[in-house]
Amino acid sequence: MRGVRGVRGIATPGVSKRGIARPGIARRGVTRLVETLDLYRAFAGASLRARMQYRASFLLGNFALILTNIVQFIYIWAVLYRFGTIHGWNFGQVTLLYALSMLSGGVFTIFFRQFVLLQQLVQSGRLDQYYTRPAGLFFQVLTSGLDLDGLGNIIAGLACLYFAAVTAPIQFTAARSAFLVLFVLSGAAIKAGIAVALASTSFWIVESEPLMTMVMQHLAICGWQFPISVYGRFIQYLLTFLFPYAFCNFFPAQAILGKNDFTFFHPVFAYLSPFVGVAVFCIGYVVWRVGILRYQSTGS
Amino acid sequence: MKLKPAGAAAVLALVSRRFQASVTYRASFFVSFLGNLLFVYVMVSIWTALYGARHTVQSMTLAEMRTYVIVANTLRLFFTMPLEANVEARIRQGDIALDMLKPMDFQLMQYADVLGRSLFNLVAGTVPVLLISWFAFGLVLPPSPAYLGLFLVSVVIGHAMSFLLAFITAIVGFWTTDLWGVVLLKTALLQFFSGLVVPLTFFPPAVAGVLAWLPFQALYYVPQLLCMGKLPLVQVPAVLGLQVAWLLLLFAFSRLLWTRAVRKLALQGG
């Protein structure tokens, strides 16, 4: 696919770089949105149907995810069964941390999993194919892998949430429920932003996967199950400012629980997740744009 | 299926080839090295927070508990093997047919491959992380050379067990279209029921009782008990005997599965 490099500059009449055919300027905004949604449904539907060809694998994957979550949950239970609390957090409260982590992770997996595999798209040259189609690259990568495996996480997350509500205990008023939904979506945006930014490094370096593994698995795992207040200052800062996974569960959980375990941070952090989510997602998108602009095909 | 004969020289050559090849995966090794170091820190922090002001829980002091998680996590580098992904890729690309033409048994070949990789991880990963952790957090040393020796024996058994579990999981890939879910499940089961992140005695007695009969504890829990001298010497033969019995059982099972898999492969036409 050596010749593909020039394709980026393609300027077919009536085809914009990002969307499909444009009608009159006036109605462009609305039409564009409707078309994009239609296209999203078509693309995502296609990738879903492709996935469903392997129904056994889909069911097995989700079954495994749910069981994995149960096992993790047993671990939290076994530990807190012996010790009662960790840094002042009881079993129900720790379960809420885990539930928030699972729910935001599930939403992230369903919609953004494909970015994790960007390195493969680049290396195999499949990304170059996307250039030849009249739709945005981000959009195409986004829709190429709607991944229902995240459902397993969401189901497990909801079960944990119910469990946390009963044992913590948490009264789910309308306001609190609304906050919860907002926090889950913010957490998913944070995870997506970080994943997109890290994945985009494959435009600069050939191997982006080790970096992603380091951050998205090794580092993120620090905040999955237990409050980050058990760690030293360095890790807490890292998880709050550089890779703000703490805003996926540690801070918002305190807003829901009315806890006060902010260590070095201001209590207002409990409500900052939505802003952090928007900001991190935007940063991820900007890194992606910059990466795309300097991208040259591997030529494979 | 009969075991194909293979010279020890051939096996050794494979082991050393994989050992040398491992050096080339620098980036991914570096990440797993750093990740392991981070995980040691995470586990030490969590257990320190859990202990709080307590001195001894389940007859384990905090210092022993820290040693437990440090040694278990560094062993993890030695026990981690990319076997399933390798075999899955070979099945998918059809290379598996070539493997079967080779004059060495497939399972033995995989074991040699894994051993080379594991030895590299041992030298470049386990030992340095262990030394760093020793300086950073301190370690409780084995009470006598006998326990140290038994610990090393149990580590070899644990490694073989880890291989057999991975091999059996990989063979499942002949039947399911992708292995991702199966591997995920196996990893989760191993993580918690092998004593990697929490000693089995910390589970409620009923759960711990069941786990003591399963093969998973051979990986981390039994070596840890021996390392810290927590298992009376009179009980050692029974405990290690159970591990060996599991090893033989799983080996027989893996051969049976492999024979079935080959038959299926032949039917499919490779």
Side-chain angles (χ1 to χ4, degrees):
Chain A
M1 282 200 122
R2 241 197 207 278
V4 142
R5 258 180 222 189
V7 171
R8 176 152 42 89
I10 192 169
T12 318
V15 175
S16 80
K17 207 167 160 192
R18 215 177 300 162
I20 51 170
R22 338 172 158 196
I25 296 288
R27 287 184 312 164
R28 209 173 104 200
V30 177
T31 320
R32 176 82 170 269
L33 183 68
V34 171
E35 275 169 351
T36 307
L37 284 177
D38 271 357
L39 209 56
Y40 185 86
R41 231 180 35 220
F43 275 35
S47 80
L48 266 189
R49 278 195 299 279
R51 184 84 177 94
M52 281 310 181
Q53 295 302 309
Y54 302 98
R55 193 163 312 215
S57 142
F58 162 73
L59 288 176
L60 190 73
N62 271 296
F63 176 71
L65 263 179
I66 292 174
L67 271 184
T68 304
N69 279 301
I70 292 176
V71 171
Q72 301 246 8
F73 184 71
I74 292 176
Y75 159 59
I76 298 176
W77 173 66
V79 166
L80 288 171
Y81 163 87
R82 288 280 168 208
F83 292 90
T85 59
I86 179 166
H87 213 269
W89 294 64
N90 66 28
F91 178 45
Q93 295 170 335
V94 172
T95 307
L96 179 68
L97 282 181
Y98 187 60
L100 282 173
S101 178
M102 282 305 104
L103 290 171
S104 57
V107 175
F108 159 72
T109 304
I110 292 180
F111 295 103
F112 289 93
R113 172 104 200 290
Q114 201 55 30
F115 281 93
V116 178
L117 307 173
L118 187 67
Q119 184 191 318
Q120 289 165 27
L121 281 184
V122 171
Q123 281 175 359
S124 67
R126 259 186 66 205
L127 194 70
D128 299 341
Q129 276 176 26
Y130 290 170
Y131 271 116
T132 63
R133 297 187 196 152
L137 277 183
F138 189 83
F139 183 76
Q140 289 193 58
V141 176
L142 191 68
T143 49
S144 66
L146 202 63
D147 192 337
L148 284 190
D149 283 338
L151 278 181
N153 275 336
I154 292 185
I155 293 169
L158 287 175
C160 284
L161 188 63
Y162 173 76
F163 203 85
V166 175
T167 46
I170 311 163
Q171 283 285 322
F172 272 104
T173 58
R176 217 171 255 160
S177 309
F179 264 120
L180 185 91
V181 173
L182 188 64
F183 289 150
V184 167
L185 295 179
S186 313
I190 291 170
K191 285 176 177 170
I194 294 176
V196 170
L198 290 177
S200 302
T201 59
S202 26
F203 296 124
W204 284 273
I205 52 177
V206 187
E207 288 263 319
S208 65
E209 268 169 15
L211 181 66
M212 297 183 82
T213 310
M214 186 66 219
V215 176
M216 293 169 56
Q217 286 179 23
H218 297 323
L219 190 63
I221 212 170
C222 297
W224 267 5
Q225 294 154 334
F226 295 109
I228 64 162
S229 46
V230 302
Y231 305 121
R233 192 180 280 259
F234 178 70
I235 298 282
Q236 289 195 38
Y237 277 131
L238 207 59
L239 288 171
T240 304
F241 297 113
L242 192 57
F243 301 106
Y245 288 115
F247 288 98
C248 297
N249 62 356
F250 178 68
F251 291 122
Q254 304 204 43
I256 292 170
L257 295 167
K259 270 190 86 71
N260 190 359
D261 184 24
F262 292 100
T263 63
F264 317 114
F265 309 106
H266 195 275
V268 78
F269 276 39
Y271 292 94
L272 287 188
S273 296
F275 304 103
V276 176
V278 171
V280 172
F281 190 80
C282 288
I283 292 172
Y285 186 71
V286 167
V287 175
W288 161 270
R289 290 298 302 175
V290 175
I292 280 290
L293 284 177
R294 76 174 296 292
Y295 169 64
Q296 307 227 309
S297 168
T298 51
S300 56
Chain B
M1 190 178 156
K2 245 178 59 197
L3 281 167
K4 291 179 193 163
V11 174
L12 276 180
L14 266 182
V15 171
S16 91
R17 194 190 62 180
R18 172 50 69 193
F19 185 92
Q20 285 157 17
S22 302
V23 183
T24 53
Y25 297 101
R26 246 173 257 130
S28 63
F29 176 76
F30 187 62
V31 164
S32 63
F33 182 87
L34 272 186
N36 203 262
L37 212 52
L38 182 70
F39 205 64
V40 165
Y41 170 75
V42 165
M43 294 306 286
V44 167
S45 304
I46 288 174
W47 284 103
T48 309
L50 280 170
Y51 266 72
R54 269 166 265 215
H55 182 261
T56 309
V57 179
Q58 290 295 107
S59 75
M60 284 247 240
T61 64
L62 178 57
E64 284 173 331
M65 195 59 228
R66 284 174 158 206
T67 305
Y68 184 100
V69 292
I70 289 168
V71 176
N73 277 298
T74 48
L75 273 183
R76 193 167 62 135
L77 275 177
F78 179 56
F79 286 163
T80 302
M81 38 193 87
L83 180 70
E84 293 103 332
N86 281 352
V87 175
E88 190 193 17
R90 299 194 78 78
I91 294 175
R92 213 166 251 183
Q93 287 155 14
D95 294 336
I96 192 111
L98 295 175
D99 289 339
M100 287 161 65
L101 290 175
K102 288 177 185 154
M104 189 188 279
D105 178 67
F106 180 72
Q107 192 178 27
L108 185 61
M109 204 158 67
Q110 292 298 324
Y111 186 60
D113 199 70
V114 156
L115 203 57
R117 184 75 175 256
S118 292
L119 286 176
F120 174 79
N121 284 350
L122 182 70
V123 174
T126 303
V127 172
V129 174
L130 202 57
L131 290 177
I132 294 171
S133 312
W134 193 358
F135 283 119
F137 307 111
L139 286 179
V140 180
L141 298 176
S144 69
Y147 273 112
L148 183 63
L150 285 170
F151 165 69
L152 294 177
V153 170
S154 68
V155 167
V156 174
I157 295 177
H159 184 265
M161 191 78 84
S162 178
F163 168 76
L164 282 177
L165 291 173
F167 187 81
I168 290 170
T169 313
I171 298 305
V172 175
F174 279 76
W175 283 276
T176 63
T177 38
D178 71 352
L179 261 187
W180 177 78
V182 188
V183 174
L184 189 73
L185 188 59
K186 191 207 95 178
T187 311
L189 285 177
L190 266 189
Q191 231 176 17
F192 298 105
F193 300 152
S194 64
L196 170 63
V197 287
V198 50
L200 300 187
T201 40
F202 282 70
F203 282 106
V207 181
V210 174
L211 293 179
W213 285 99
L214 296 181
F216 307 119
Q217 61 163 354
L219 269 75
Y220 301 102
Y221 186 58
V222 171
Q224 295 299 325
L225 285 183
L226 293 169
C227 179
M228 297 196 291
K230 292 272 175 194
L231 198 64
L233 280 172
V234 286
Q235 286 180 24
V236 171
V239 171
L240 283 186
L242 180 68
Q243 315 307 310
V244 175
W246 266 116
L247 213 53
L248 292 175
L249 193 70
L250 286 176
F251 176 68
F253 182 59
S254 72
R255 296 311 299 186
L256 183 74
L257 264 186
W258 173 240
T259 316
R260 292 271 168 110
V262 170
R263 201 176 304 152
K264 181 173 154 50
L265 198 69
L267 286 175
Q268 253 185 1

